[in-house]
Amino acid sequence: MPKSRSILRSLGPGFLLAGAAIGVSHLVQATRAGADYGFLLIWILLLACITKYPFLEFGPRYAASTGEHLIQGYRRLGKLPYALFIFITVGSMFIIQAAVTIVTAGLAEQLFGIALGTLSWSLIISAICIALLLIGRYPALDKSMKFIVSLLGLATLIAVVLAFGDGRLDRSLSIASPDIWNTASIAFIIAFMGWMPIPLDAAVWHSIWTREKSVSTGKISIREAFADFNVGYLAAAIIGLLFFLMGALIMFGSNTEFSGNGVEFSGQLVALYGATLGPWSETLVAIAALIAMFSTTLAVTDAFPRVLSEVYMIEKPEATISEKWNSYRLAIFIIPAVALVILSYFSMTFTVLIDFATALSFLSAPLLAWFNYKLVTSNVMRKEDQPGKQYRIFSLCCLVVLVLFNFVYIYTLLNERSFL
């Protein structure tokens, strides 16, 4: 019983990971995968969750064993891994912040029916996240995400259970599957896998959150960190599957041409639910969608400033804890502010920026996976905390899959003709 209470007390970073994961990848990409291809791509969702599992799990494992986060670990590996991670972070953080904020803002405007404009709603969403994080710090983030992820899971599950009625499963299975062997479909599959359930650099966020949790509750053991990670990762994977099923059951075969814009797609999603399940369902789906995106925005608003503050401490080892938190407070205002500027002046080229961030995260995934593997099998980790032989073999097999999909992604970008 004491061990059970200890594990329950250590839960938190996993929910933050789930909250960060459940966003555009789930609401838009997973739903669209089901909507456009039916059940055909369910194996891609499962493959993505399986192959990323070990390298994301290595983040909290490393933090629990060493008391360090992965950024410090990358610095131990050398200047190149450390510099590469900083490049990936800086190259994508403003765009990712802008992307999750604008989708959240669009959903809030739709749900509450107050036409302030997407930019004004983006400012409100950002202000709420910043206030929550600065007033409550990590404990507030911890408690908020447990509630948000639990509520989201329940709302989405109810929607999916209702969608299974009226013969929708039989209808979806009876529709002929579309052709996936063409450039557009292959590109979508790669993007879907790249962001499902979350990019690999989130392992760094999780390692930081794990260390923060240990500060507030005492040292977290490997067993506790592993249990916490599994709860959060399983929640992200299951909710991703639920959104996929929503698309396959409700939207597949509807002959609706879905928008490539996240906000417009979300509106189409809610409207189509209303048309198929009844007007009462629109509110349920809108709430689930808004919760999904707000959880992502809240987690991302916290994650990037934490990363920058930790980099600051590595670069300035003589800095005090007070200076570290000052850098966090500065970053928590600057990053959303730059994101709002991007939304204001670069909306016409926003998809190009998103494509750049997506490509950067996807192409860097095998490198970050290798760095994480090197760290948890190095002498920095206690022998008993390192992954066993079979888990190492499994991890290397997953790495091979990520590398192969990278080659497929690059080939798809370079090849304009249809496959087969």
Side-chain angles (χ1 to χ4, degrees), residues 40-77:
L40 188 61
L41 299 185
I42 194 169
W43 69 274
I44 289 290
L45 186 152
L46 298 176
L47 182 64
C49 293
I50 291 171
T51 53
K52 290 183 180 179
Y53 176 89
F55 309 112
L56 286 164
E57 185 270 323
F58 290 159
R61 178 190 291 263
Y62 182 81
S65 177
T66 65
E68 296 181 348
H69 48 69
L70 284 179
I71 308 175
Q72 293 168 302
Y74 295 157
R75 189 66 185 86
R76 286 180 179 274
L77 291 178

Side-chain angles (χ1 to χ4, degrees), residues 99-113:
V100 299
T101 304
I102 192 174
V103 176
T104 308
L107 288 167
E109 181 173 1
Q110 184 178 62
L111 179 63
F112 296 112

